Amino acid sequence: MAAAHTLAAAIIMGMPNVRLTTATIILLGGPLLVGTGWPSITHAAEPRPDLTVADRIKVNAATLPANDFSKAEAFEAMTAGAASSTGPADAKAFTHPLATLSFEQQQQFSLGEALFQKFWVSSPSSTQASDGLGPLFNARSCESCHQRGGRGHPPGPNGDTTSMFLRLARPAHTDEEKAAIAALKALNFGDDTYGRQLQDRAVPGLAAEGRLAVTYQPKTVTLGGGETVTLRVPTYTIEALGYGPLGADTTLSPRIANPMIGMGLIEAIADKDILANAERQAQAGKGISGTVAKVRDHLTGDIKIGRFGWKAENATVRDQAASALAGDIGISSPDDPRHAGDCTANQPQCLALPNGVQARLGPVEAPPPVLDLMTFYSETLAPPKRRDVTKSEVLAGKALFYASGCASCHQPKYVTRRDTANPALSFQLIWPYSDFLLHDMGPDLADGQQVGLASGQQWRTPPLWGLGLTAKVGGRQAYLHDGRANSLPEAILWHGGEAEKARNAFASMTPGDRKALITFLESL
């Protein structure tokens, strides 16, 4: 099968001219692949509609799990295929465009980047093209939370919470509300007064909703070989509530900002490949059974697979961008036309303040050209090329990653669709290391908050590409949905539920094996 890996990857990357003989077809996609336990996209009943028969043969072979850990797989270093960024592995590693963009698209990327970085101001303002902030908000720009395209973090010594906020949600109270969730017309319901998230900032003359406060208690874990790791057990509260008490059944879910790289490539993964992940896990019967998130497209109302957000609550990059504009900054767009952002009917002073709509630009504060460019920028930030893929310790760690069961959820690779609207995203062999499914991660990570089909213990498997550059890009390490883990070992040790066996395998390893596995993760 090693020959199949190499040949198929070479075909997809467009390297050699390979003639598909009958023998090659059998090698790459015939009966030899049946029963491998890996999602087969040559399944006669449900083939990917974007692929020809020859394409399916190539893709099936290229996405087989690794079976030779003595060397790197073909093109494994190219995290995003030909679209990978090959720039320096430094603080700006997540800021580069896909290498497959045309010259005209690079110009679009630059315009989108400027909008991503711009600071919005309160209305009314002489700028007109930049007003509409809030009135309640968490940040004044997208870049404020996703600095240099990286992940957020919990408050540091200075107390800054810009890249972290609290989601607020309550259960459905009425039969009508329950029906709305069942029909995927609502993900959940926000607090009656404070809405869907706590906003700790406000425009002049308006009180902020409150301040996120977090405290930690230490928890020591002893590992194989006698090593110990101290975990931080967080407790979240809200200080200085500005509009009265929270609802009695309102839950708090802390969230840090996710990295921005590779989002367009994630959207370009075929639905059938994600569905196949869930089918593979269910058939394996090993206690891992991911749920496919289903959500509605903000603009069309069509039901799609959720891929973005900690609970896979958004189906597209555009949905994610529109949600963040309205919820985090208070800027309305065609896809989420909330001029007052997350203000509720119980905050009349907020609703009475002027918005930033300019009649000559349309009925929203971020008209289509603005949302289009911001979406394009978010879709085309490139994952960086991997480092050290041929080093013996990295290869040993990769073998342990597979043997421990980590790859069951953190599925390494896909080939993106042929029929993407943007050719720069098309037919790329990519390595995001995620199945993009919802998994029960156990009570220790639970937030008790339902989000659509996601229960209070379920989270989307986060992609791992770019993981090893977290500290360089963001200046510190912060992992999991609330950044409680200050290191990769801590993050692994918090895994529970469906991931408990993999967590225990890591904990019981020898110190040398644990170091090798972490070295592999740091190479991503």
Side-chain angles (χ1 to χ4, degrees):
M1 286 299 163
H5 277 285
T6 304
L7 179 57
I11 294 170
I12 289 170
M13 295 296 290
M15 303 293 280
N17 294 317
V18 177
R19 183 168 175 267
L20 288 177
T21 64
T22 301
T24 303
I25 290 174
I26 293 173
L27 174 65
L28 295 183
L32 289 176
L33 299 185
V34 176
T36 60
W38 207 251
S40 173
I41 48 178
T42 60
H43 195 287
E46 297 183 354
R48 271 176 52 177
D50 62 301
L51 300 179
T52 65
V53 173
D55 281 343
R56 290 201 296 272
I57 292 167
K58 301 171 193 176
V59 171
N60 199 29
T63 54
L64 281 172
N67 59 3
D68 179 0
F69 300 101
S70 66
K71 60 183 179 181
E73 296 172 75
F75 306 107
E76 185 175 2
M78 300 302 287
T79 306
S84 305
S85 166
T86 57
D90 58 15
K92 296 183 178 180
F94 294 176
T95 65
H96 304 298
L98 299 176
T100 47
L101 296 187
S102 66
F103 177 75
E104 291 76 12
Q105 288 177 322
Q106 291 177 38
Q107 292 178 308
Q108 285 181 272
F109 178 90
S110 296
L111 291 170
E113 182 179 32
L115 290 168
F116 191 83
Q117 294 174 345
K118 81 178 283 186
F119 283 93
W120 296 85
V121 298
S122 58
S123 303
S125 166
S126 60
T127 62
Q128 293 195 349
S130 296
D131 60 344
L133 176 68
L136 295 165
F137 61 97
N138 293 103
R140 290 182 56 201
S141 72
C142 302
E143 173 74 16
S144 297
C145 295
H146 303 275
Q147 291 187 14
R148 294 182 292 275
R151 72 181 67 227
H153 53 78
N158 63 357
D160 179 32
T161 60
T162 302
S163 60
M164 182 180 187
F165 62 84
L166 287 174
R167 287 271 191 223
L168 308 176
R170 62 165 175 80
H173 286 165
T174 66
D175 289 342
E176 184 181 7
E177 289 181 346
K178 292 175 183 177
I181 291 177
L184 302 179
K185 293 181 179 179
L187 296 172
N188 55 27
F189 296 93
D191 183 83
D192 292 340
T193 297
Y194 291 91
R196 300 174 187 174
Q197 65 193 61
L198 182 78
Q199 294 175 317
D200 57 358
R201 300 184 184 189
V203 299
L206 187 68
E209 292 185 324
R211 294 191 304 272
L212 160 66
V214 54
T215 57
Y216 297 99
Q217 293 296 320
K219 176 184 177 181
T220 301
V221 179
T222 302
L223 308 178
E227 291 183 344
T228 60
V229 173
T230 300
L231 305 181
R232 302 189 304 169
V233 181
T235 299
Y236 297 96
T237 56
I238 301 174
E239 297 177 344
L241 280 168
Y243 298 86
L246 287 171
D249 54 357
T250 295
T251 56
L252 311 181
S253 181
R255 310 284 178 87
I256 63 171
N258 270 304
M260 297 289 295
I261 55 173
M263 294 178 69
L265 293 164
I266 292 170
E267 190 173 334
I269 295 171
D271 284 358
K272 290 187 181 296
D273 288 355
I274 296 177
L275 293 168
N277 291 340
E279 182 180 359
R280 167 177 59 85
Q281 292 172 3
Q283 291 177 351
K286 296 182 178 180
I288 296 174
S289 185
T291 300
V292 178
K294 298 290 183 66
V295 296
R296 289 190 181 271
D297 183 282
H298 293 187
L299 192 59
T300 67
D302 295 338
I303 295 177
K304 296 182 177 180
I305 291 178
R307 302 165 188 244
F308 303 103
W310 284 105
K311 298 219 176 193
E313 60 266 33
N314 286 307
T316 66
V317 179
R318 187 180 177 93
D319 281 355
Q320 186 74 12
S323 294
L325 273 173
D328 301 347
I329 307 178
I331 298 296
S332 59
S333 71
D335 297 41
D336 196 337
R338 291 180 286 163
H339 306 318
D342 195 40
C343 295
T344 71
N346 289 326
Q347 295 170 323
Q349 185 181 1
C350 177
L351 294 175
L353 291 172
N355 60 51
V357 174
Q358 307 293 328
R360 61 188 176 83
L361 298 176
V364 292
E365 294 162 323
V370 173
L371 182 60
D372 291 348
L373 286 167
M374 294 181 75
T375 299
F376 184 84
Y377 171 75
S378 300
E379 289 173 341
T380 54
L381 279 164
K385 180 180 178 180
R386 272 186 63 194
R387 304 149 311 285
D388 303 326
V389 294
T390 62
K391 284 192 173 181
S392 59
E393 188 172 25
V394 169
L395 292 168
K398 179 182 174 183
L400 291 163
F401 183 85
Y402 272 80
S404 300
C406 303
S408 296
C409 298
H410 290 285
Q411 181 173 319
K413 49 189 170 173
Y414 302 83
V415 175
T416 59
R417 299 193 324 269
R418 274 274 195 203
D419 59 351
T420 55
N422 183 351
L425 303 168
S426 173
F427 211 55
Q428 297 297 324
L429 175 61
I430 64 172
W431 307 70
Y433 283 88
S434 173
D435 59 9
F436 302 100
L437 300 176
L438 298 167
H439 289 278
D440 182 341
M441 295 298 291
D444 288 344
L445 289 179
D447 64 353
Q449 199 170 97
Q450 178 184 5
V451 180
L453 297 182
S455 74
Q457 290 194 179
Q458 286 183 310
W459 301 93
R460 178 199 70 153
T461 305
L464 300 183
W465 50 12
L467 192 69
L469 295 175
T470 297
K472 283 189 177 181
V473 171
R476 59 185 288 190
Q477 296 186 74
Y479 305 106
L480 304 176
H481 65 281
D482 57 359
R484 69 178 68 185
N486 283 327
S487 68
L488 292 173
E490 288 180 43
I492 296 170
L493 293 171
W494 275 110
H495 284 47
E498 296 175 48
E500 187 171 1
K501 288 183 180 179
R503 177 261 182 217
N504 291 344
F506 173 77
S508 62
M509 288 178 186
T510 65
D513 282 351
R514 277 196 301 274
K515 181 175 182 294
L517 194 151
I518 296 301
T519 300
F520 163 69
L521 293 176
E522 290 173 343
S523 77
L524 297 179

